[in-house]
Amino acid sequence: MNKRIWLVTRHPGAQTWLSQQGFQGKQIAHLDIDVIVAGDIIIGCLPVHMVVALTLKNAEYWHLSMTIPECWRGTELTPEQMQLCQINLQKITAQAEDVI
């Protein structure tokens, strides 16, 4: 089975950083969960409920993680600035349980 890779980001810095790391895949700004199949790899910064949905589909979610200082929040970061923010990828799975 060929794994499809989805790069979910609208940020040019993240796109460049992923490319510099050798990641190639379908670049999208918004993820449609309905097109994802088991074995797909999704890379980005998604909300928890979407990560739960990906886990249920047996897809892999790799979270683009950084510690961004307050003064840089809301700005477009360069790949170099992202390195200063200790950018890394973390494979994450999630489950949910309704409480109400």
Side-chain angles (χ1 to χ4, degrees), residues 8 23 30 34 36 38 47 52 56 72 85 87-88 90 92 94 99:
V8 186
F23 289 99
H30 176 79
D34 293 334
I36 301 302
V52 170
L56 291 171
W72 283 356
C85 294
I87 188 169
N88 69 338
Q90 299 174 316
I92 296 180
V99 293

Side-chain angles (χ1 to χ4, degrees), residues 8-98:
V8 186
T9 182
R10 61 177 178 74
H11 299 287
Q15 293 169 8
T16 300
W17 185 84
L18 288 165
S19 178
Q20 290 172 346
Q21 307 314 305
F23 289 99
Q24 297 178 7
K26 179 145 177 83
Q27 170 63 48
I28 55 176
H30 176 79
L31 180 65
D32 179 357
I33 292 286
D34 293 334
V35 303
I36 301 302
V37 298
D40 283 357
I41 297 172
I42 297 84
I43 301 172
C45 296
L46 299 179
V48 173
H49 73 282
M50 291 185 83
V51 179
V52 170
L54 293 171
T55 300
L56 291 171
K57 285 184 162 260
N58 292 315
E60 292 184 24
Y61 173 62
W62 298 1
H63 187 74
L64 196 57
S65 180
M66 291 180 280
T67 302
I68 302 172
E70 186 176 358
C71 62
W72 283 356
R73 292 191 187 267
T75 63
E76 291 292 337
L77 301 180
T78 66
E80 295 76 23
Q81 289 171 314
M82 295 169 84
Q83 285 293 136
L84 292 173
C85 294
Q86 300 171 329
I87 188 169
N88 69 338
L89 288 175
Q90 299 174 316
K91 183 178 175 182
I92 296 180
T93 59
Q95 62 183 8
E97 179 181 329
D98 291 339

